[in-house]
Amino acid sequence: MSADTATGLLESGAWHRNGFSGGWRALEGGIIEVIEPATGAVLAEVGHAAPTDVRSACAQARQRQVAWAALPYQQRAAIFRAAAQRLEGERAAYAGWIVRETGAIPPKAMFEIDSVLHLLHEAAAMLTQPQGLVLPSVEGCTSIARRQPHGVVGVISPFNFPFLLSARAVLPALATGNAVVLKPDPRTPVCGGVLMSLLLAAAGLPEGVLQMLPGEADAGEALVTDPDVAMISFTGSTAVGRRVGELGGRHLKKVALELGGKNAFIVLDDADLDLAVSGGCWASWLHQGQICMSAGKHLVHASIGEAYAQRMADKAAVLPVGDPHTQQVAIGPLITRKQVERVERIVRESLAMGAKLLAGGSHEGQFYRPTVLSGVTPAMPVFREEIFGPVVSITTFDSDAQAVALANDGEYGLSAGIHTRDLARGLRIAEQLHVGQVHVNDQTVNDDGTMPMGGRGASGNGSRHGGPANWDEFTQWQWSTVRATPPRYPL
Ligand code: NAP
């Protein structure tokens, strides 16, 4: 399994050095080199969008959207089902790209593919669901509210789960009758954009309904401010989300923001320690901690704090680190050198403030070792900042109230997990946490396209992706009335 196994859809080569805008074509911004994080090798070249490319893509998408929304719903549903079937046949080649372009271990790549398969089936299913409501009506007048597409939806996606995080916005947006202009992250344009474009084109999506333009911040801002774009779905950092929200507000767009997290994993004194350690490892080390829902702070009851920390450190010492394309490892590379420097800075500053290093804390190139810090206090950067690296940060507490206060101490509000044998106690704590999702007796990283996922505070503006939330995000209501005869007014 490798990115150079150019089988099936990827074999055509038409995507090389191009963007997808009314077919594969060269972009005015030139070329982006796709770098493998594990080796530094150039994996491919794709087109680089300039703001002028974004302008013409949005205009074309707006023009094609009307015919797309008018296509019989059975035909639109069939396209998503055909894409799912194609994806089944492309598993190995697509997974190879996810491994090499994102530095993922193969099970993470397979998880992304299975999740996108699920989203494709969900998109097909949306088309046969009710599309509106019959409202209270007076005699002689029927009043209905129908779900209507926004028009053109701009999607901006990040590097960490690029195939899945592009798909979770692109697919429901298309299913509800919108056209889409997708800007994947320039570090992962193949998984974030090329794979989905190839899949949907092969499944029969009419040309121009999906436009895909790899690009940087200037292309992103051109998309957010484009007059033909009605909605932006942005997944990425809180800093960039603020900028996108600001620009979107000024241009009166609907903006869905899915941003960063600093998620609490709470272990109560009655928890099963084995299972808590297992959940904690997964939540902080899966994909090198580069997940918005990663456990950013492990809050552990003081009576078991030392045992928990030691078990995490023992685990860290034996987890294999290396290139997931050529070796069987648990931890791959961080996405860029800049990200390694960020993790280093957060760990260094926290150690200087008194945190204790139990494991890791070093790196070779972009391979940062699984790291465990104990004795962490709320003043330390490792407690407050999103790390996006394989770092377990442990803080102890003495009471449930203190656990809640520590979990809620910070600007983020994405996800939380609580381990306890007492379900009522777990639920009482869950109800007090300011987060978009919380799991009693599970860890923080849970994703399922059927569920409404999103964050509060600095983690998002209350928008949601998934299941019933997709109707709320990607459509707007139109109230219409029909009377048999027009009424006569007194003036
Ligand atoms: P990022 O730096 O915010 O980048 C996200 C996307 O925004 C990229 O495509 C980026 O392109 C683009 N962008 C940058 N500046 C822009 C601007 N001014 N206008 C429009 N677009 C712009 O985030 P990241 O570092 O790639 O991703 C990690 C972050 O995403 C973490 O904070 C993580 O928690 C969050 N995340 C959240 C969720 C969720 O569901 N809540 C899921 C996954 C990740 P460039 O790369 O060219 O700058």
Side-chain angles (χ1 to χ4, degrees):
M1 187 169 63
S2 78
D4 36 43
T5 332
T7 57
L9 290 174
L10 284 153
E11 207 168 43
S12 82
W15 58 275
H16 289 293
R17 304 171 72 85
N18 286 331
F20 189 64
S21 187
W24 294 102
R25 63 175 187 80
L27 300 178
E28 290 181 13
I31 299 293
I32 294 174
E33 282 189 340
V34 181
I35 308 293
E36 182 173 36
T39 62
V42 177
L43 287 177
E45 291 176 331
V46 298
H48 184 176
T52 43
D53 294 305
V54 175
R55 179 73 279 278
S56 49
C58 295
Q60 191 188 73
R62 179 155 182 199
Q63 195 239 327
R64 303 290 163 89
Q65 183 267 331
V66 179
W68 166 242
L71 207 64
Y73 69 90
Q74 299 95 329
Q75 281 183 37
R76 283 185 283 150
I79 290 171
F80 297 112
R81 284 196 294 270
Q85 207 171 359
R86 292 298 299 239
L87 179 54
E88 289 284 8
E90 300 287 336
R91 267 178 183 277
Y94 273 40
W97 266 100
I98 296 172
V99 167
R100 295 194 68 181
E101 193 185 46
T102 76
I105 57 174
K108 180 267 193 184
M110 285 305 175
F111 170 79
E112 272 201 75
I113 288 173
D114 287 338
S115 300
V116 175
L117 275 168
H118 181 59
L119 290 172
L120 284 163
H121 289 296
E122 288 280 291
M126 280 185 93
L127 280 148
T128 53
Q129 287 172 13
Q131 316 273 310
L133 300 167
V134 179
L135 300 170
S137 301
V138 293
E139 198 182 338
C141 172
T142 304
S143 192
I144 62 169
R146 80 172 84 216
R147 301 273 194 181
Q148 292 203 316
H150 295 296
V152 179
V153 174
V155 174
I156 301 177
S157 59
F159 72 85
N160 58 340
F161 279 62
F163 190 39
L164 167 57
L165 294 175
S166 291
R168 79 168 178 185
V170 168
L171 296 175
L174 290 174
T176 45
N178 300 283
V180 171
V181 180
L182 166 65
K183 190 204 83 66
D185 191 290
R187 290 163 290 188
T188 52
V190 176
C191 299
V194 172
L195 300 188
M196 184 55 73
S197 306
L198 288 168
L199 201 59
L200 290 174
L205 185 74
E207 193 171 276
V209 174
L210 172 65
Q211 310 264 336
M212 191 284 296
L213 302 172
E216 294 172 353
D218 58 343
E221 294 202 4
L223 185 58
V224 177
T225 55
D226 192 277
D228 282 327
V229 171
M231 176 192 173
I232 291 289
S233 166
F234 172 83
T235 303
S237 65
T238 298
V240 176
R242 283 187 209 280
R243 172 80 182 144
V244 168
E246 240 174 71
L247 284 176
R250 195 180 313 150
H251 291 264
L252 302 180
K253 315 283 187 193
K254 173 165 184 173
V255 181
L257 299 173
E258 302 294 355
L259 310 176
K262 188 68 188 168
N263 310 291
F265 180 62
I266 301 175
V267 185
L268 300 182
D269 47 352
D270 63 354
D272 178 321
L273 195 59
D274 264 356
L275 296 177
V277 168
S278 166
C281 290
W282 183 258
S284 279
W285 290 329
L286 178 64
H287 200 43
Q288 296 79 259
Q290 298 171 116
I291 305 178
C292 55
M293 294 171 287
S294 291
K297 44 189 180 187
H298 296 236
L299 307 177
V300 185
H301 192 275
S303 63
I304 53 168
E306 213 167 299
Y308 182 86
Q310 193 51 55
R311 296 275 286 274
M312 294 301 273
D314 293 346
K315 192 69 130 181
V318 296
L319 285 180
V321 180
D323 180 352
H325 174 52
T326 54
Q327 304 159 46
Q328 198 171 357
V329 294
I331 308 277
L334 293 180
I335 190 73
T336 53
R337 183 75 203 178
K338 191 169 157 212
Q339 187 52 27
V340 175
E341 285 161 11
R342 176 184 163 76
V343 178
E344 269 189 315
R345 194 239 335 134
I346 291 174
V347 169
R348 186 179 61 246
E349 288 178 4
S350 301
L351 290 175
M353 291 173 77
K356 194 169 158 200
L357 182 68
L358 299 184
S362 61
H363 68 97
E364 251 176 66
Q366 281 171 222
F367 297 92
Y368 201 93
R369 293 208 60 77
T371 294
V372 180
L373 297 184
S374 67
V376 172
T377 66
M380 296 177 185
V382 76
F383 185 93
R384 307 213 77 80
E385 293 182 38
E386 185 181 41
I387 305 172
F388 247 52
V391 179
V392 166
S393 154
I394 301 173
T395 305
T396 55
F397 62 85
D398 294 308
S399 67
D400 291 5
Q402 202 188 354
V404 169
L406 286 166
N408 286 338
D409 181 3
E411 58 173 348
Y412 295 104
L414 191 56
S415 180
I418 304 160
H419 269 237
T420 174
R421 286 193 172 90
D422 182 341
L423 298 191
R425 188 179 171 201
L427 279 171
R428 262 196 316 277
I429 291 177
E431 280 163 10
Q432 298 174 70
L433 301 182
H434 303 153
V435 290
Q437 45 267 330
V438 53
H439 309 289
V440 175
N441 282 327
D442 205 346
Q443 45 76 46
T444 52
V445 183
N446 269 290
D447 184 74
D448 179 335
T450 314
M451 309 301 166
M453 146 112 206
R456 299 182 185 178
S459 295
N461 58 349
S463 56
R464 291 282 180 280
H465 286 90
N470 286 335
W471 285 107
D472 299 331
E473 293 301 332
F474 296 108
T475 66
Q476 53 188 301
W477 289 109
Q478 185 187 56
W479 174 43
S480 33
T481 60
V482 182
R483 292 175 185 272
T485 52
R488 187 174 297 285
Y489 287 97
L491 288 184

